[in-house]
């Protein structure tokens, strides 16, 4: 009886697992097929003769530009967010002032609001300062809209640091900047790596800001760029599959290496929400 | 010591960048959205103040109400799907070998961009050679539906990828909460002769109630903001059958160039989201927290 029960439970979990992973495997499989194989063949069949040229075609079509834009925008926005968020969290948790919880409240507003409500005014503001179709608008919005979640993840760690750290540093004659940059920041490396990876995932996957603020192909990121590609190849399913695989691959690789950090960040951001 | 750590200049220096960006790029735009909503404006030309006209129009706009209804339907579906995730998490947390690995597999869809997910599911739903209809035809179904083109089905069809995308996230949260329950409580119940299902319903579920309530807020409020997936999969179609609040706003502003009315809808989206958040938080508020 006991054993039958366990087998049933495993079947349940297995079905969920197949449901979660199968569409992705199917995607990889059709990215290596010809249209003929996709249209006439069994959807479960593995590609008989993998068509790697689908990937070549997509790179020749210019996906590299989008890929590069995604990379540099993600990296720059992530670095800025973490730096600014760490400074703010330091001032809020470690320094003594009356308005700290009020300021924290303002920062946390960003967690509740629908970004779409701010989209038209943002578009108008960027238009007025000539930042429409300029990647600066993307970097600053990514940075700002990720600040609240980053501060929230850092907050728990910063509050648990012992007070003695500051006392010792200050008695030794260290300045606050030295204390922050040389002691607190290095100490927070473990939690910082969680925020880095969470920021990178958000930035890599962001769609609506790029779709609204950027019109030239040369500045588009992968999430928006793949829309173009799919339009361009319309019926070439192999090329479409290759495009999608290229766009999700970095995240899947990151997940293989940093899954624990990612899960930590995701649950931290949810449970406190 | 205290004097050094309460240096006003340094506090300002450290807090100012964050505060400035949030004020300029989050708080001010939100307020401006309400203000632009009072204007007749195409986004480029001069604004003309028209008072509450846009908001009154919204109240009488059947398309606005339809999109609001769709947003709320998605919110209700999402809240219900939490029970499904909870069941999976309960199984996963009951000393199953390989739980860690399965948990990771479940989480992968959550990490992909909504655009990639949307494109993938468009292919899954493709009427002639998508994965779903290929399976259905091979099972002998003669006329499988055109999932995304049928106004009666489209909203449900969109909901499947939403369940798929967020499953791992909620399972992860429930799993973590369930693992926090002390083993001794479960052991005591077992000795008293409780069945695994009784333990799940009577003991484990109440003990993770706080986390469950948080996820209800997350699921409902998150659903009201859905945009990317729907925008890419159907663009709100066919004939508005999958339009949600955010996609309707986007269409008004960036396709019809009705920035005044679009802003009004955007502001209403904000108000509705805040009211709903407030109501569920109040409704799920716990007075006594469970101690163990």
């Amino acid at each position: 009886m006991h054993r039958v029960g366990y087998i049933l439970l495993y079947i349940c979990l297995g079905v969920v697992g197949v449901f979660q992973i199968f569409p992705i495997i199917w995607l990889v499989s059709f990215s290596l097929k010809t249209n003929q194989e996709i249209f006439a063949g069994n959807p479960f069949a593995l590609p008989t003769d993998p068509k790697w040229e689908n990937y070549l075609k997509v790179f020749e079509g210019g996906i590299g530009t989008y890929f590069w834009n995604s990379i540099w925008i993600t990296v720059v926005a992530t670095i800025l967010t973490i730096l600014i968020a760490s400074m703010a969290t330091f001032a809020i948790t470690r320094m003594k002032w009356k308005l700290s919880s009020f300021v924290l409240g303002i920062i946390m507003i960003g967690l509740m609001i629908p970004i779409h409500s701010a989209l038209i005014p943002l578009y108008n503001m960027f238009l007025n300062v000539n930042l429409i179709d300029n990647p600066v608008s993307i970097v600053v919005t990514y940075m700002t809209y990720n600040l609240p979640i980053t501060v929230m993840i850092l907050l728990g760690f910063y509050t648990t640091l012992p007070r003695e750290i500051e006392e010792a540093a200050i008695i030794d004659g260290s300045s606050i900047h030295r204390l922050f940059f040389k002691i607190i920041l290095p100490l927070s490396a473990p939690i910082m790596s969680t925020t880095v990876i969470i920021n990178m995932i958000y930035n890599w996957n962001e769609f609506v800001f790029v779709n609204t603020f950027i019109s030239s192909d040369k500045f588009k990121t992968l999430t928006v760029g793949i829309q173009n590609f799919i339009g361009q190849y319309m019926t070439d399913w192999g090329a479409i599959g290759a495009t999608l695989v290229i766009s999700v691959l970095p995240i899947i690789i990151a997940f293989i290496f940093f899954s624990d950090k990612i899960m930590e960040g995701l649950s931290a951001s949810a449970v406190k929400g | 010591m205290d004097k050094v750590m309460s240096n006003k200049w340094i506090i300002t220096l450290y807090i100012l960048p964050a505060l400035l960006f949030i004020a300029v790029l989050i708080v001010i735009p939100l307020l401006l959205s309400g203000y632009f909503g009072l204007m007749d404006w195409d986004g480029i030309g001069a604004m003309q103040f028209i008072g509450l006209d846009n908001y009154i129009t919204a109240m009488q706009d059947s398309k606005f109400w339809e999109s609001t209804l769709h947003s709320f339907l998605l919110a209700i579906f999402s809240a219900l799907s939490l029970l499904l995730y909870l069941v999976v998490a309960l199984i996963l947390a009951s000393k199953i070998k390989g739980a860690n690995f399965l948990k990771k597999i479940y989480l992968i869809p959550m990490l992909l961009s909504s655009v990639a997910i949307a494109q993938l599911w468009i292919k899954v739903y493709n009427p002639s050679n998508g994965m779903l209809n290929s399976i259905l035809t091979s099972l002998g179904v003669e006329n499988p539906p055109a999932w995304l083109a049928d106004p009666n089905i489209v909203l449900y069809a969109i909901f499947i990828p939403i369940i798929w995308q967020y499953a791992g996230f909620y399972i992860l949260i429930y799993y973590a909460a369930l693992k926090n329950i002390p083993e001794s409580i479960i052991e005591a119940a077992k000795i008293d002769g409780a069945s695994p299902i009784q333990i799940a319903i009577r003991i484990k579920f109440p003990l993770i109630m706080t986390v469950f309530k948080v996820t209800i807020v997350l699921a409902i409020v998150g659903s009201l903001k859905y945009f990317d997936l729907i925008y890419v999969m159907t663009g709100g179609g066919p004939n508005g059958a999958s339009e949600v609040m955010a996609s309707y706003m986007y269409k008004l502003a960036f396709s019809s160039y009705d920035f005044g009315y679009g802003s009004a809808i955007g502001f209403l989206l904000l108000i509705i989201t805040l009211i709903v958040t407030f109501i569920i938080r109040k409704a799920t508020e716990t007075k006594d927290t469970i101690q163990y």
Side-chain angles (χ1 to χ4, degrees):
Chain A
M1 177 55 216
H2 201 63
R3 180 169 290 174
V4 176
Y6 263 98
I7 291 171
L8 279 176
L9 294 185
Y10 267 113
I11 291 174
C12 284
L13 293 177
V15 168
V16 178
V18 169
F19 177 65
Q20 289 302 98
I21 206 74
F22 196 76
I24 298 172
I25 293 173
W26 179 68
L27 167 69
V28 176
S29 138
F30 84 64
S31 78
L32 293 169
K33 289 180 177 177
T34 59
N35 255 3
Q36 209 176 0
E37 268 181 284
I38 297 164
F39 283 74
N42 174 357
F44 294 97
L46 291 173
T48 41
D49 168 28
K51 296 284 175 298
W52 296 104
E53 51 269 39
N54 287 338
Y55 285 83
L56 199 66
K57 192 191 293 172
V58 171
F59 270 102
E60 279 169 353
I63 205 173
T65 314
Y66 304 140
F67 202 86
W68 167 242
N69 287 338
S70 274
I71 290 179
W72 80 257
I73 289 176
T74 297
V75 170
V76 173
T78 302
I79 293 173
L80 288 174
T81 308
I82 308 268
L83 180 69
I84 295 181
S86 302
M87 289 168 66
T89 314
F90 175 76
I92 289 169
T93 55
R94 313 301 294 184
M95 304 205 52
K96 290 195 177 66
W97 45 300
K98 286 195 189 103
L99 289 174
S100 64
S101 55
F102 173 72
V103 167
L104 181 63
I106 291 185
I107 295 177
M108 290 301 151
I109 288 175
L111 288 177
M112 290 186 300
I113 60 118
I115 56 168
H116 306 97
S117 300
L119 202 60
I120 296 174
L122 276 173
Y123 177 84
N124 184 248
M125 287 161 76
F126 286 132
L127 195 66
N128 283 330
V129 292
N130 265 324
L131 285 178
I132 287 296
D133 206 22
N134 183 330
V136 171
S137 59
I138 301 301
V139 172
V140 294
T141 36
Y142 283 9
M143 190 203 78
T144 310
Y145 280 81
N146 281 336
L147 276 174
I149 187 75
T150 309
V151 168
M152 187 183 244
I153 297 175
L154 293 174
L155 209 61
F157 183 86
Y158 272 65
T159 36
T160 56
L161 288 174
R163 282 277 162 210
E164 286 77 18
I165 293 174
E166 278 119 46
E167 281 169 21
I170 286 162
I171 289 165
D172 284 350
S174 155
S175 72
I176 292 192
H177 303 305
R178 227 184 105 83
L179 165 69
F180 174 68
F181 285 103
K182 291 275 157 94
I183 301 172
I184 302 279
L185 272 192
L187 271 178
S188 65
I191 193 73
M192 215 194 285
S193 59
T194 305
T195 59
V196 167
I197 193 93
I198 290 289
N199 265 280
M200 287 198 153
I201 292 174
Y202 286 169
N203 292 341
W204 187 268
N205 288 338
E206 203 285 329
F207 171 72
V208 73
F209 289 135
V210 183
N211 196 46
T212 314
F213 302 153
I214 299 294
S215 50
S216 328
D217 277 342
K218 62 173 190 256
F219 295 135
K220 281 180 181 161
T221 59
L222 265 177
T223 43
V224 175
I226 57 175
Q227 291 286 88
N228 274 12
F229 259 73
I230 285 166
Q232 190 177 324
Y233 293 115
M234 203 83 93
T235 52
D236 186 345
W237 278 45
I240 292 171
T243 307
L244 292 175
V245 171
I246 291 168
S247 83
V248 303
L249 205 59
I251 293 290
I252 300 210
I253 292 173
F255 187 61
I256 291 168
F257 287 103
F258 306 108
S259 53
D260 292 335
K261 294 275 172 203
I262 292 176
M263 295 202 286
E264 205 177 300
L266 285 178
S267 36
S269 55
V271 174
K272 288 173 191 160
Chain B
M1 169 75 197
D2 278 2
K3 210 174 136 199
V4 183
M5 293 309 284
S6 54
N7 182 324
K8 291 269 174 338
W9 286 110
I10 292 184
I11 292 170
T12 315
L13 185 69
Y14 276 56
I15 206 75
L16 209 58
L19 214 50
L20 212 61
F21 277 110
I22 284 176
V24 174
L25 295 180
I26 300 183
V27 179
I28 292 177
L30 288 178
L31 300 175
L32 276 180
S33 177
Y35 172 72
F36 288 169
L38 302 171
M39 304 290 161
D40 181 18
W41 180 39
D42 62 3
I44 305 156
M47 292 185 205
Q48 200 196 339
F49 183 81
I50 53 166
L52 289 173
D53 278 12
N54 283 327
Y55 294 96
I56 294 165
T57 312
M59 292 302 118
Q60 295 159 344
D61 179 354
S62 63
K63 281 186 178 164
F64 168 69
W65 287 116
E66 255 173 63
S67 63
T68 311
L69 176 71
H70 295 153
S71 290
F72 275 91
L73 279 176
L74 288 180
I76 293 167
F77 294 157
S78 301
L80 290 176
S81 65
L82 293 179
L83 293 173
L84 203 70
Y85 303 145
L86 183 66
V87 171
V88 178
L90 279 165
I91 299 178
L92 201 61
S94 59
K95 288 185 186 159
I96 290 268
K97 279 201 191 88
N100 228 3
F101 175 72
L102 284 167
K103 210 169 60 183
K104 286 179 188 175
I105 293 278
Y106 296 166
L107 197 63
I108 291 176
M110 165 85 194
L111 305 169
L112 312 185
S113 72
S114 297
V115 176
I117 290 174
Q119 288 293 354
L120 169 59
W121 281 83
I122 290 174
K123 300 293 171 276
V124 171
Y125 282 134
N126 188 295
S128 54
N129 57 333
M131 185 170 74
L132 184 60
N133 281 4
S134 302
I135 295 173
L136 289 177
T137 344
S138 67
L139 290 175
V141 180
E142 291 208 350
N143 282 313
W147 301 95
L148 298 175
D150 185 335
N152 297 316
I153 302 180
V154 65
L155 210 56
Y156 304 98
I158 286 179
F159 188 60
I160 302 294
I162 296 178
I163 292 193
W164 182 78
Q165 183 178 10
Y166 290 100
F169 175 65
Y170 289 108
I171 291 171
L172 170 74
I173 295 170
Y174 293 147
Y175 180 86
L178 288 166
K179 280 289 168 191
N180 270 335
I181 298 175
E183 198 57 40
S184 57
I185 298 182
I186 311 294
E187 287 304 322
K190 270 187 197 158
I191 291 164
D192 289 346
S195 73
I197 292 176
Q198 278 176 323
I199 294 179
I201 297 172
R202 298 275 178 83
I203 298 172
K204 290 181 178 170
F205 183 61
L207 283 176
I208 64 159
M209 204 53 188
T210 339
V211 173
F212 191 70
K213 284 172 178 173
V214 172
T215 58
I216 292 178
V217 180
L218 280 178
I220 292 181
V221 176
S223 311
L224 296 180
K225 306 180 202 166
Y226 277 141
F227 175 77
D228 299 8
L229 194 86
I230 292 172
Y231 179 78
V232 178
M233 277 182 88
T234 65
N239 198 18
S242 61
E243 199 84 83
V244 290
M245 286 190 280
S247 68
Y248 188 48
M249 176 235 91
Y250 201 84
K251 206 171 270 182
L252 285 172
F254 300 104
S255 306
S256 318
Y257 301 101
D258 198 343
F259 274 61
Y261 191 35
S263 298
I265 302 287
F267 195 65
L268 289 173
L269 170 63
L270 174 69
I271 303 288
I272 291 172
T273 309
L274 293 180
I275 292 176
V276 170
T277 313
F278 180 76
I279 291 174
I280 351 174
R281 278 195 196 261
K282 276 283 163 212
T284 60
E285 211 166 59
T286 8
K287 285 196 186 70
D288 41 10
T289 47
I290 298 164
Q291 298 279 336
Y292 46 69

